[in-house]
Structure formats: structure tokens, C-alpha cells
Amino acid sequence: MASQPLRLAEEYGPSPGESELAVNPFDGLPFSSRYYELLEQRHALPIWAARFAFLEQLESNPTGVVLVSGEPGSGKSTQIPQWCAEFVLARGFQKGQVTVTQPYPLAARSLALRVADEMDLTLGHEVGYSIPQEDCTGPNTLLRFCWDRLLLQEVASTRGTGVWGVLVLDEAQERSVASDSLQGLLQDARLENLQGDLRVVVVTDPALEPKLRAFWGNPPIVHIPREAGERPSPIYRDTIPPDRVEAACQAVLELCRKEAPGDVLVYLPSEEEISLCCESLSREVESLPLQRLPPRVLPLHPDCGQAVQAVYEDMDARKVVVTHWLADFSFSLPSIQHVIDSGLELRSVYNPRIRGEFQVLRPISKCQAEARRLRARGFPPGSCLCLYPKSFLELEAPPLPQPRVCEENLSSLVLLLKRRQIAEPGECHFLDQPAPEALMQALEDLDYLAALDDDGDLSDLGVILSEFPLAPELAKALLASCEFDCVDEMLTLAAMLTAAPGFTRPPLSAEEAALRRALEHTDGDHSSLIQVYEAFIQSGADEAWCQARGLNWAALCQAHKLRGELLELMQRIELPLSLPAFGSEQNRRDLQKALVSGYFLKVARDTDGTGNYLLLTHKHVAQLSSYCCYRSRRAPARPPPWVLYHNFTISKDNCLSIVSEIEPRMLVELAPPYFLSNLPPSESRDLLNQLREGMADSSAGSESSSVQEFRDPCVLQ
């Protein structure tokens, strides 16, 4: 081998009592006593037996690709990055840093905290993480944990981090869009800034191993031995309970009454059910006649933010962690001894034909069910209660999780692939190829947004759009605000739509409802979001202020950070800014113009005056969301005849979310003429064509100046 892998501290010979003699090779400081405590725990992990085999393959494999296959909880996510850091350090930092991708931002932050602790290093220095609105890295960072979508954005834009020595794609079995796309780009050797002596490590569950082996051309595989603990035998229910939350709560309370040792992990399909379960359990456990402290109920989902670290804290009370698919493979919790599994997940699945999302409640995969069961293994094994019959998963569950690239809107991905000069995104290698209609719809949308030129390559505008960590239509609206002098307001709106899109639950009291109404704006939900943000800033970002109004404090803090990032990005690429003018009549119209410039694909018309909205791009009928400000107004408030919306979701009641009234004349002026011509036949299209013909009948000079004023500036070419 060209160089020997770096030896760990215990290989140098000192015992914990002599730790002052051993120096951490990453920062030159003596190891602490905690390092040795954690080192003993690391030795006990199943993956430790594969350490030297992994380092040997990483060093000598000529293809540069290594697969690591092991079950959840085997130590893959914490140990593989550290060994890669040793590999890079042994090479004298000459080949760049180690970047480890994670499918969820919370997992990236949590792992960075844990690994920095195990390596006896300071977070933000040698070990760091990069997630949306939070970059905890420095110039000396050797090991960086990163949200995979953020890394894909960096790779495609001009904000790449340079040359990487080792790229670790962790949790490949999650099948995120970014992870699958990065693998495709790497396999096609499309990442010029990653060429050379790059090492790629793909870490996965054994269930996906055959597919990955075939995709990468039979690279070497490091198999992690099974954990020694006994596996619990699942206990199945005879039937699926009509109320999942109630059934899960009763199962937790029964474990508490029995004083069964160990923490509890509860899997429910959605965040709404997680919240309901946590509220119910928090009330019920206080009244239990227990010999010990009442259990502490902790939610675990993407909106938890930094509060997620509470699930790792040592505490005297039993922990009851209530989660969903987020913790199928990520967030290993050694203290868990009891699992309660609903066997279901609620996912958003995008339909390109109608440009809308379906809320799909479906069985989890067999791979996920096994991962959940393994959470309760040990000596002796814990318990795994399945709130469904055994035949439920056998008959209905797929073997693996569904690839997200087949279920999400691909417009942002296609924009990034075009930035990498991939002319035909369909030719890019994927583990599972997306549907052709999904790629065609993405290309069509980008063409409507003027992001593509006549040859199908990125236009100048498209290059700028790809720089923003926003959906293409939202980035287009933000760029249009430069011409319409409403950049300040649009920056706030872009941040809020991305990080904190308003209220997510009904008010809990009349007082809370009154406080919410005070934040509503007469111009619609978009202006209401700006008003919420400004009131939040005026409150001093007070958490109690948010709680009193049913707002997510952590999400609003994220929106504040994102707004700052967007402002910095606009300044960096020298886009014009404007002074705040929110509330004026001119600003109201300018903001509508900017929104229509990006969201003309998402317009609907009230067909009968009762709130039944027909979407322009297809003949689906939808209603306003129950959280829409137009619905909370007192009768006889009439629904606005034409609206622009942010999301269309097909669920129990087809609804439009984040809605504002627009003038149809503005749509005719700002939308591309060929978009209006391509609309399906409807009364709405006829009305728009009549309006366009009426505008064309005006004087030639007036018509020419009007169209030039409203259309060309927003293209910014």
C-alpha cells in the first residue's frame, strides 16, 4: 500500500490513566478521559471488526469506490467518517477533506455532534456540518457532515467547496433525490471538480446491496457483522386499529404500568399524529401510579430543530420518543428496548400531470419494518408491537423504500443537471430512472420560466436561478422583484415560503384565534406571511410570542437566517435591491407582479362564486385551505375570483395553500403568450384570450410599451 492508515490512540500504547502522554493527531492536544470512555463503546460496535478491512479497501481499491453494508445500529454512520478522516490525515491533507452526506439535515447535525465528541475535537473546527441556514465549519475542517441536497446544490453551482479526498454517501437505502443524483453523476464521471484521486464510499442497508453492486459494477463490499444482541419477535395485532394514535398511546401506557425497563420508540405515519400522540401521552403519564419519575415524551421529526438532541440526553426518567419514517434508519438510540410500529407512512407524492401533490398513506417497506424491529434488539431482547396483522406487510408492503426521484417534482433537479451541462437529464444514470413525463414536465416548466434557451440549454436567467436554494418558480419571482422594486418584501416572502409557511394547526382557543386574525393581511396569505415575519422580528424573535399565536418559533428563526443568506447571495451576484415599502398601494401591485412572474403556472379561478376553484393548467377543482385568510373572514366575504397559489395538495379535501388574489389582466401581461395558448380548453382560458384580444385592440404604441414594460424586465437577460 502507498501509505499506512493512521493508528488510533490505543495503538500507541497508553492506558486511560496515561492519557496525558497520548496526543490527538487532529488537533495536537492530549486526549481527554471521555475519549477513552467513548472508545470502549466504539469497540463494542459490530462495525469495529471491519475497521481494517475497510481501510485496506479504501487505500488499495483501484476503482476508488467502496460499498459498506450493515444493519441499522451497527455503527456505520459514526465510525466510517472517522476512519475516512484518518485516511485523509495519513495522506497529509493533500487530497482534500472528507464530506459525509445525510438525507436529513437533523441527522447531519446530530452525527457531527456525536462524532466530534468521539474524536475529542471541537465542533466547528476539525469536525463540522453544513445544513440549510447553518454552516458550522471552518478553514481547518477536515470532516464535514452535509445534507445531501445542499451538497448537490454546491456541486452544480459556483459555490463548490473544492476538492474532496473522500465522499461518503450515507444511508443510500433512504433513496433521496440528491443521494441518487450524486451517485448518478459520480458514476458518469460528470463532477469535474471531484476527479482525480477521489474515494467514494456508499453506505447502505443490506436490502439495497444487490442493486448498488450492479449499479457500481461490482465494487468491493465491506460487510458488517450482525450485532450480537437477540432480536425481538414481533407481536402482531389481529386487526388494524381504527384510531392509530389512541392504540399507540394505550400501548405506551401499558408498558409504563408494567414498569418495563428501557425507553420506548413509537412510529406513526405523520407529524400531525406525532403531535397528537405527544400531547395525549404527556397528559396521561402524569396520573400513572409509578414508582419512578413519569416518562418524558419527546417528538422526533424534521421541525424539531435543535431540540432533537433531547432524545440523546441521559435522564432519570424513561424516554418515549414519538417519530415517523425519519428514524427508520437514522438516529440510532441505544437505550430503546420497546418499539411500537403503526406500519404506515404518510408521504407527499408529486403528480407531474396535474402539478400537484398527493398525500399518500401507505404501508412501509419490508426493509423499514425490519429496521424498526431491530431497534429493540439486545440482551435480553426488548419488545416490538406491530399495530397491524402479520399478513398486512406480507401482502401489501414493497421490499424497499420507494425512490424519491420517482415521487418528487424534478424541476429543481433538472435545473441543476442542466447547470452541469447535461443536455438530456433522462440520459443521466439513476438507480431507478424517473418517469419520462416527470422529466418532460420539469423541462416544460423551466422553459415557461425562461430558464432554457432555444437549444434547450440554460439561459442566462437559468444560470442565475440555479444559484438560489429555492424552487425555480420562487427564484424567478425573487428575480422579477428586482425590476418591480419590491426586493425587500420578496426576500421575506421567499424565506417564509421555504422555511415557515404559516399556520399548520387550528387555533387552540378563542384568544389564540384573535391573535392570529390580527396578523392576517387583506391582500391574502402572501402578504400575511410578510406581516407575520415583521411582527416576529419586532417581538425580538420571542418564543412565547410564537406559542401564543400557534406559530413555529424554530421555523421562523430558520426563515430569518434564510432571508439573510438570500440577501447576501443577491449582493454577491450584484442584483439590484430596493428599500422596504410594504403596505403602500404601489408596493402591493409590484409584489403581485413579481409573484405572477414566477407563479403563473399556479393560478385558479372561482367558477361559481362559492369557492370552487378550477385550476388553469388542468381541470381539477380545489378549495382554499382551512388556514387561508380568505376563509377566516366573517361572512358574507366572497372568495376572490382569481387567485395565485403556492401549493396544490390532493388529500381528504383538495386544497390550495398560501393563496392571494390577482387580476387576470396581470396574468395576460406577464405570462408567456405561448403558455396561455397551451392552456386546456376552459371558460377561464376563453376569458383570458378575450382579455388579451381587448388589450391588443388598443393603440399600437400603448400596446407595445405595455407589453415591453411588464414582460421583458422580469426575464433579466
Side-chain angles (χ1 to χ4, degrees), residues 87-110:
F87 171 78
V88 170
L89 183 61
R91 293 178 155 209
F93 293 88
Q94 297 176 4
K95 300 298 181 180
Q97 67 175 359
V98 178
T99 295
V100 184
T101 67
Q102 289 293 323
Y104 309 115
L106 285 182
R109 182 202 285 123
S110 179

Side-chain angles (χ1 to χ4, degrees), residues 174-401:
E174 291 273 12
R175 304 304 308 276
S176 70
V177 172
S179 179
D180 279 13
S181 302
L182 285 167
Q183 290 188 70
L185 291 171
L186 287 165
Q187 208 262 5
D188 287 344
R190 300 280 189 175
L191 301 185
E192 291 87 351
N193 59 323
L194 299 184
Q195 288 181 356
D197 200 19
L198 170 72
R199 296 294 194 270
V200 177
V201 180
V202 183
V203 184
T204 183
D205 186 89
L208 191 63
E209 179 189 318
K211 195 177 191 72
L212 288 171
R213 186 171 61 244
F215 180 79
W216 286 101
N218 292 312
I221 302 176
V222 178
H223 291 100
I224 301 172
R226 281 189 165 191
E227 190 170 353
E230 296 181 23
R231 295 153 187 260
S233 298
I235 302 171
Y236 296 97
R237 289 285 176 88
D238 294 333
T239 59
I240 297 176
D243 188 334
R244 289 183 296 272
V245 173
E246 176 64 21
C249 289
Q250 291 303 316
V252 172
L253 294 174
E254 183 63 25
L255 285 170
C256 294
R257 293 189 188 99
K258 292 179 179 178
E259 301 277 358
D263 295 338
V264 184
L265 187 59
V266 181
Y267 286 97
L268 291 170
S270 66
E271 292 182 19
E272 180 182 0
E273 289 177 294
I274 291 172
S275 298
L276 291 173
C277 184
C278 289
E279 292 170 5
S280 177
L281 282 175
S282 297
R283 290 192 304 267
E284 295 288 342
V285 296
E286 293 296 332
S287 59
L288 290 176
L290 303 176
Q291 300 297 319
R292 50 189 288 186
L293 291 173
R296 184 175 176 188
V297 182
L298 301 169
L300 176 55
H301 55 74
D303 287 340
C304 289
Q306 296 189 11
V308 73
Q309 290 306 122
V311 304
Y312 292 106
E313 294 175 1
D314 293 329
M315 54 185 70
D316 295 331
R318 180 206 301 270
K319 285 181 288 191
V320 178
V321 181
V322 188
T323 186
H324 55 16
W325 40 261
L326 177 71
D328 283 339
F329 303 102
S330 303
F331 301 97
S332 294
L333 305 169
S335 61
I336 296 297
Q337 293 191 29
H338 307 282
V339 171
I340 299 169
D341 180 17
S342 67
L344 296 168
E345 63 178 5
L346 184 68
R347 290 283 196 167
S348 294
V349 178
Y350 184 76
N351 186 330
R353 295 179 181 176
I354 62 174
R355 294 185 173 88
E357 290 186 341
F358 288 82
Q359 292 293 306
V360 179
L361 182 66
R362 65 191 184 192
I364 60 174
S365 66
K366 294 181 174 67
C367 176
Q368 291 169 278
E370 178 66 9
R372 294 180 179 187
R373 181 172 74 94
L374 291 178
R375 298 291 196 184
R377 63 189 164 195
F379 290 115
S383 66
C384 178
L385 174 62
C386 301
L387 301 178
Y388 50 85
K390 186 176 182 180
S391 60
F392 175 69
L393 287 184
E394 292 177 348
L395 298 176
E396 301 187 39
L400 294 167

Side-chain angles (χ1 to χ4, degrees), residues 443-481:
L443 288 168
E444 182 181 58
D445 287 0
L446 292 176
D447 186 47
Y448 282 142
L449 291 170
L452 305 179
D453 59 22
D454 293 340
D455 297 325
D457 299 322
L458 276 193
S459 63
D460 292 341
L461 174 64
V463 173
I464 299 176
L465 292 181
S466 69
E467 286 288 309
F468 286 89
L470 303 171
E473 64 271 18
L474 184 53
K476 175 68 180 293
L478 181 57
L479 291 184
S481 70

Side-chain angles (χ1 to χ4, degrees), residues 423-714:
E424 296 297 334
E427 296 178 359
C428 181
H429 281 85
F430 292 96
L431 283 170
D432 287 277
Q433 201 70 16
E437 57 265 29
L439 291 170
M440 289 301 299
Q441 179 264 320
L443 288 168
E444 182 181 58
D445 287 0
L446 292 176
D447 186 47
Y448 282 142
L449 291 170
L452 305 179
D453 59 22
D454 293 340
D455 297 325
D457 299 322
L458 276 193
S459 63
D460 292 341
L461 174 64
V463 173
I464 299 176
L465 292 181
S466 69
E467 286 288 309
F468 286 89
L470 303 171
E473 64 271 18
L474 184 53
K476 175 68 180 293
L478 181 57
L479 291 184
S481 70
C482 298
E483 287 295 327
F484 298 124
D485 294 326
C486 55
V487 176
D488 187 83
E489 293 75 22
M490 198 63 220
L491 278 170
T492 299
L493 189 51
M496 290 291 286
L497 288 171
T498 303
F503 305 105
T504 57
R505 62 165 176 78
L508 302 179
S509 65
E511 181 182 3
E512 182 180 309
L515 291 172
R516 286 189 181 192
R517 281 195 297 271
L519 295 172
E520 293 176 355
H521 197 283
T522 55
D523 288 341
D525 293 336
H526 293 85
S527 294
S528 295
L529 286 177
I530 298 175
Q531 196 151 275
V532 166
Y533 177 83
E534 293 189 346
F536 170 70
I537 297 301
Q538 290 173 6
S539 75
D542 182 48
E543 188 171 2
W545 182 89
C546 294
Q547 291 175 347
R549 291 157 179 79
L551 291 165
N552 188 319
W553 175 79
L556 283 167
C557 290
Q558 289 291 91
H560 180 60
K561 293 178 182 178
L562 176 57
R563 190 187 189 281
E565 285 187 9
L566 294 174
L567 176 59
E568 182 181 346
L569 179 57
M570 294 189 73
Q571 291 171 332
R572 182 174 67 82
I573 57 182
E574 299 181 351
L575 291 173
L577 305 177
S578 59
L579 296 174
F582 184 63
S584 69
E585 180 61 26
Q586 182 62 43
N587 181 263
R588 170 182 172 274
R589 291 184 58 81
D590 290 341
L591 190 59
Q592 285 183 342
K593 293 175 185 177
L595 283 170
V596 172
S597 298
Y599 282 86
F600 54 83
L601 284 162
K602 296 184 175 182
V603 172
R605 172 176 168 266
D606 184 6
T607 57
D608 55 10
T610 63
N612 290 314
Y613 285 91
L614 183 69
L615 278 61
L616 280 189
T617 53
H618 47 82
K619 296 183 178 181
H620 269 72
V621 176
Q623 287 74 40
L624 302 182
S625 164
S626 58
Y627 304 116
C628 177
C629 67
Y630 294 117
R631 291 192 61 171
S632 63
R633 294 176 182 175
R634 294 180 179 177
R638 185 179 184 275
W642 292 81
V643 296
L644 172 148
Y645 60 90
H646 182 63
N647 275 329
F648 169 48
T649 304
I650 298 178
S651 54
K652 291 180 295 185
D653 49 347
N654 299 349
C655 65
L656 307 176
S657 302
I658 317 294
V659 170
S660 291
E661 182 175 7
I662 63 166
E663 301 174 9
R665 179 186 180 89
M666 198 174 289
L667 181 64
V668 172
E669 291 171 337
L670 294 168
Y674 57 91
F675 164 72
L676 299 176
S677 302
N678 290 340
L679 289 174
S682 68
E683 184 181 359
S684 300
R685 189 185 75 166
D686 294 341
L687 290 172
L688 291 173
N689 285 330
Q690 291 174 14
L691 184 58
R692 181 167 60 177
E693 292 169 2
M695 293 167 60
D697 288 340
S698 61
S699 64
S702 172
E703 186 273 344
S704 175
S705 62
S706 174
V707 172
Q708 189 68 21
E709 175 185 357
F710 286 115
R711 286 200 65 250
D712 289 353
C714 68

